[in-house]
Amino acid sequence: MPDLPETDDGEKASYSAPALEKGLDILELLADVGEPLSTRTIAERLERSKSEIFRMVFVLQQRGYLVREAGTDRLALSRRLFDLGIRTPSGRQLTSVVLPLMERFSEESGQAAHLVVLSRAQTVVLATTSGHLDATVTVRPGYGRPALEANSGLLILAFQTRARRLTLMKDADHEALTRLESTGVAAIFEMIREQGHQIAPSRDILAVTDIACPVIGPAGYAQAAILVPCLQRHGVQTDEKAILTSLKACCHEAGLRLAYS
């Protein structure tokens, strides 16, 4: 495709694609609000007519980018964009390298495991393994939470330079960015780095202890985390130390393989 022509003042000219822009506006709005919205609400927030938004919504539903919330007229993002993201070279490489090691870990330990990355200041589960215990905790790929409110998010952020941390969190709101630079969060990052892992009660599910380790890439920062949600059960003693030892070995091997892949 040829470069865009230059204007008289040397700036690049821009082309207009109104239909494409409307579709992208809808997807970005739903991603930002994080909850389903009706067509009317979408039109109001984008300051467009309901009829033009309806046409775009219809096409986006047909292409699988939007789904309708059961029993309502509200629309939400589907997994389609997430699936496209996984199919990028970096997503495919990470999953293809780490997932076989996670499967081996789950087979040996019985525990479920989640491969987590950061995207748009949120944690995103790329892949899961279920283990073979009769009761484990699993979530669907694509599940996510604000990075600072998730143990895996704190772990990944701890193993970054300050510049990379700010880049990973550039889409966060002002409150989250303020917390990111606070002395309290800095102390959490330092503690995690010193330990080399994170063991803490789940910030999302009751009676679950998260055990998480970083997958350190060839550049020396965490490309992902593997998190094991240990379910606390009556009369069953979970050997967290053994799980941590096995998980650290899994993550270390994953990092080595990423360096040579």
Side-chain angles (χ1 to χ4, degrees):
M1 180 178 178
D3 290 340
L4 295 176
E6 291 189 356
T7 59
D8 292 340
D9 59 4
E11 294 294 327
K12 291 288 185 181
S14 61
Y15 291 127
S16 178
L20 176 59
E21 290 175 356
K22 280 186 284 188
L24 293 174
D25 286 343
I26 292 170
L27 296 176
E28 290 175 356
L29 172 64
L30 289 171
D32 288 339
V33 300
E35 62 181 9
L37 299 176
S38 67
T39 303
R40 180 184 297 277
T41 302
I42 293 172
E44 290 174 351
R45 296 200 183 187
L46 295 179
E47 299 181 346
R48 295 184 181 273
S49 71
K50 186 177 177 181
S51 61
E52 62 179 327
I53 291 299
F54 177 82
R55 291 194 295 270
M56 296 304 305
V57 163
F58 181 78
V59 173
L60 288 170
Q61 279 188 274
Q62 280 192 317
R63 296 296 298 267
Y65 289 94
L66 298 182
V67 293
R68 192 170 297 279
E69 186 181 51
T72 76
D73 64 347
R74 301 197 305 170
L75 297 153
L77 292 177
S78 71
R79 282 173 37 89
R80 175 80 170 145
L81 289 173
F82 170 73
D83 291 338
L84 288 176
I86 290 179
R87 284 156 54 186
T88 62
S90 60
R92 287 199 307 269
Q93 181 196 35
L94 183 63
T95 305
S96 65
V97 168
V98 180
L99 187 55
L101 300 175
M102 285 173 53
E103 290 172 340
R104 186 179 70 190
F105 164 83
S106 290
E107 179 63 28
E108 294 174 350
S109 68
Q111 297 287 337
H114 305 154
L115 175 62
V116 185
V117 296
L118 290 190
S119 175
R120 295 176 60 90
Q122 302 266 332
T123 61
V124 179
V125 175
L126 280 188
T128 65
T129 54
S130 59
H132 56 71
L133 298 181
D134 57 357
T136 57
V137 179
T138 58
V139 297
R140 61 176 176 80
Y143 173 82
R145 288 173 51 77
L148 293 179
E149 297 177 17
N151 289 321
S152 56
L154 290 170
L155 178 84
I156 294 172
L157 288 170
F159 290 91
Q160 311 291 335
T161 63
R162 181 177 178 273
R164 281 193 53 82
R165 197 176 294 143
L166 290 173
T167 298
L168 289 170
M169 293 293 289
K170 65 183 177 63
D171 293 315
D173 58 27
H174 177 71
E175 180 183 354
L177 290 173
T178 301
R179 286 179 57 203
L180 181 69
E181 297 282 77
S182 68
T183 55
V185 171
I188 292 174
F189 290 156
E190 183 177 358
M191 178 191 70
I192 293 173
R193 285 194 301 271
E194 288 179 354
Q195 294 177 160
H197 62 268
Q198 170 82 318
I199 298 180
S202 170
R203 294 167 175 254
D204 190 26
I205 305 173
L206 296 174
V208 169
T209 298
D210 289 341
I211 302 177
C213 293
V215 177
I216 305 297
Y221 58 82
Q223 288 189 226
I226 300 178
L227 182 141
V228 177
C230 295
L231 185 63
Q232 300 171 28
R233 303 174 60 195
H234 292 293
V236 178
Q237 186 67 36
T238 300
D239 190 344
E240 293 182 358
K241 185 176 180 180
I243 293 171
L244 176 62
T245 299
S246 180
L247 183 60
K248 279 190 172 183
C250 175
C251 289
H252 179 68
E253 184 174 352
L256 292 177
R257 293 195 182 188
L258 285 173
Y260 290 102
S261 63

